[in-house]
Structures are given as C-alpha cells and as structure tokens.
C-alpha cells in the first residue's frame, strides 16, 4: 500500500513497556505490516526490566545489571511509518490524546486513534522496581544484596509466589541464615490452587531450613511502616507472637494506579473499579464505557476475571493486537474517522485460562501446577525457571537488544 497525501495513518498508542504492552505492540507490528499504522510505546523506564530475575539478582549480584534491557530494537519494521518508543510517565488520558511528563517537560502530548493501557501493577521492591533508570535499579538490587549478606535473620511477610521464591533464593544462597516466612492463611498461596501444590511448596522451603509460620498476620507499625534497608526489629503478629529479625521484606499488597483515567470521564466509577482501582473492561478488553470503543486495557491494570500473571498479560496483548487489526481494516474499508460512532463489530473475547503456576524455590527446587491440574516437582520447575540467567539471555534475544547500547553492562559491579 503506497502512502499518498490522502492516506490516513492510524496512530496506535501503547502505554507500558512490560509483558502486556510489548506483546500488543510487537504482535500488531507483525499483523499490521500491510496497514498504515504508526505504533508508539510510552514507557516510564529507560529500559525493559525483566522481573523474572529480580529476586535472584539480590542474592547473586552479577545478575542485576543484566535485567535491564534496552528498547532500541523493539520494533523490527519501523522505517515506513516510524514506530517508536518514548520515555515518559502517563499523567492524563483524553478521548484522542494523552498527556505525559518527562525530564524535559511536565506536560507533553501524544495523539492516538487507538489506545492500549498496559500500565501493570505496583508491588513492593525488590520484586518490582520503582526506578526509572537502569543505574538506579541496579543500585537498588545491590543495596538489598548487601543487606541480605549482613543479616543473620530475615523475615518475609507474605506466602504468595514472591514470598516463597524470595525465601527459597535466600535460603539456598545462605543456608546459615535464619529465614522466617509468615503467611496469614492455613496454606501458602491462594485457595484457588491445589492443596498438594501448596503443601509441596511448604515442604520444599522447610527442606531448605526456612521456618514457615501459617495462620499469623504480622502487624506493621502504621507510623513507620517498613523502611527500606536492614534494621533489627521485633514485630508482633495479631495473636501477640514476637518475631525478631535483622531484615524484613513485605511480599503482599499488589495495587494499581489508574488516576490518569480521571480526565477521560466525569463518571470515574464507570471506568475504574473504586475498590481495586483496576480499569473496567468488556470481555473484548475495551473499556466498559461505550463512548470509548477505541480504548483498551491489557494485563494487570484491567479487571478481567483472571489471576494477574504474565501468561495472561501476554495472551491479552496478542488478542488485543488481533482486535486492533480488525478495527483498523474495518475503518479503512468504510472510510470511518469518528471512532466514537464506530459501528459495533464482533471482536475476540478473552477467556480465562487454567492457571499455570511455576514457582522456583532457589536454584535447584520448585513446584508447578500445570494447566491440567497436575502438580509437578523439581525436575519440571528447574527446566523452566531455575536457570534464570538463561531466561534473561533469551529475553535479550527476544527483544533484539544491542548490548553495546547498554552502558550499564560495562560498569563494574561492587
């Protein structure tokens, strides 16, 4: 399709450069190679942060700098319409443009014909990073690395996947340390998983010497919280049990920041669930408000009824790319430009999948619940997750990243 002055180029704007956003953008680039599409990815970080290795990086310091992967070669066919990655923080969403802030200006603008919000979720460090630069993120990982080395007693609050993996990493690397994991339910993880999966994870931890305390809730002092860094504390549970530790990790409390949606509509409750702050979506992953059929939400930030796992974000991103191709092809064939009055189309709907969960417990142990409900032990988990350095290398290849452009790779790790 040759571009003429009358050819409309459709601006597709993706907010968020993690699993959901990247898979939407790259799948649309592939599917829409014949269409007049310009894809812009807005991401707050200067590089992709590979969260799969975040917990391994705080016990093996050489991994930390490899987790930050440049976006420079994300798009493979950007010569025609100029697909690009822009660094900035989304601040406000409007029907056909967004505002964002960066180091140069607090207010910048990007127009769109279609918008995909994939801003993810918020989780305490070091599992997820608040840093916007690779240098700051690496320094954060190394700070936790030093704190762990100096601590004799480590308290982990929360027995979900992050808490279990963190306990396994520390106990494997430092078997001489006392690692205590406290969870407020009778078994690890959520009730939706099989008891045999939950029990096996506990057995794996205890075989490493981790003390697992169940049915106890740790009381966090409201006036101080848990300041980052090593500090000897005595914390009490709701039942009055005292636990002394030199270093504490909070592995609970996934949350969402979708305040940027307030500028889109006076009816905020119609766009965002007031209790969870997740964006309300239809099964097609379009926002539920019928005035905005050209705006989608993908991954953790939406209220689609599924666990917030990477597997769902990836699948939702690819499905959204297919739906966008269909919408744009329909728009071209009918010469429609008013997306607010776009005729209803039959789009794909996202269906919840059986939850595959693989939790690595150090380098040599792990437990998996397959999509078919089978619970598998060390051999399967090791094959997929224990070699996290190999997974990092695979991610570099997948993003076609150039190591020469990652200056932080060449800095000496102290």
């Amino acid at each position: 399709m040759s571009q003429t002055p009358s050819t409309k180029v459709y601006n597709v704007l993706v907010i968020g450069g993690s699993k959901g956003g990247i898979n939407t953008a790259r799948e649309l680039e592939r599917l829409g190679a014949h269409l007049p599409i310009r894809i812009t990815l807005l991401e707050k970080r200067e590089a992709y942060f590979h969260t799969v290795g975040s917990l391994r990086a705080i016990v093996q310091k050489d991994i930390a700098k490899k987790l930050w992967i440049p976006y420079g070669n994300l798009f493979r066919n950007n010569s025609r319409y100029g697909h690009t990655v822009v660094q900035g923080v989304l601040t406000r969403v409007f029907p056909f443009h967004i505002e964002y802030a960066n180091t140069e200006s607090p207010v910048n603008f990007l127009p769109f014909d279609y918008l995909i919000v994939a801003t993810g979720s918020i989780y305490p460090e070091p599992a997820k990073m608040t840093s916007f630069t690779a240098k700051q993120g690496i320094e954060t990982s190394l700070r936790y690395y030093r704190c762990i080395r100096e601590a004799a007693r480590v308290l982990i609050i929360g027995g979900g996947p992050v808490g279990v993996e963190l306990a396994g990493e520390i106990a494997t690397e430092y078997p001489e340390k006392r690692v205590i994991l406290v969870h407020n339910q009778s078994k690890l993880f959520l009730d939706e998983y099989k008891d045999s999966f939950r029990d096996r994870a506990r057995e794996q931890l205890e075989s490493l010497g981790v003390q697992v305390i169940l049915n106890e809730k740790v009381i966090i002092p409201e006036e101080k919280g848990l300041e980052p860094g090593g500090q000897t504390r005595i914390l009490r549970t709701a039942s009055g049990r005292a636990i002394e530790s030199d270093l504490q990790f909070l592995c609970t409390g996934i949350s969402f920041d979708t305040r940027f949606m307030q500028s889109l509509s006076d009816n905020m409750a119609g766009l965002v669930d007031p209790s969870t702050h997740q964006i309300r979506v239809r099964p097609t992953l379009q926002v539920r408000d019928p005035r905005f059929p050209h705006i989608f939400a993908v991954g953790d930030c939406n209220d689609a009824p599924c666990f917030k796992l990477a597997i769902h974000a990836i699948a939702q991103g690819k499905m959204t790319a297919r739906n966008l191709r269909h919408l744009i092809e329909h728009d071209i064939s009918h010469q429609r430009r008013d997306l607010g009055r776009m005729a209803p189309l039959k789009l794909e709907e996202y269906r919840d999948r059986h939850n595959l969960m693989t939790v690595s417990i150090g380098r040599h142990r792990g437990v998996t619940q397959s999509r078919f409900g089978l619970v598998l032990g060390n051999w399967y988990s090791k094959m997929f997750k224990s070699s996290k350095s190999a997974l990092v290398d695979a991610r570099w290849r997948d993003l076609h990243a150039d190591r020469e452009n990652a200056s932080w790779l060449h800095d000496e790790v102290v």
Side-chain angles (χ1 to χ4, degrees), residues 13-16 40 42-44 86-102 105-112 115 117 119 259-264 295:
L13 178 58
V14 181
I15 310 295
T40 302
L42 178 68
E43 164 56 36
K44 62 186 177 183
V86 175
Q87 186 180 2
V89 178
L90 175 66
T91 54
R92 296 203 291 175
V93 174
F94 296 92
F96 291 98
H97 76 278
I98 61 99
E99 291 181 4
Y100 72 97
N102 61 15
S105 172
V107 181
N108 303 274
F109 305 92
L110 282 172
F112 65 82
L115 175 67
V117 180
T119 48
R259 291 173 291 178
F260 48 78
M261 298 293 285
Q262 292 175 351
S263 51
L264 188 59
I295 299 179

Side-chain angles (χ1 to χ4, degrees), residues 264-281:
L264 188 59
S265 171
D266 293 333
N267 179 22
M268 184 63 172
L271 287 170
V272 174
D273 186 318
S275 60
T276 66
H277 306 294
Q278 291 171 291
I279 299 171
R280 298 184 187 273
V281 293

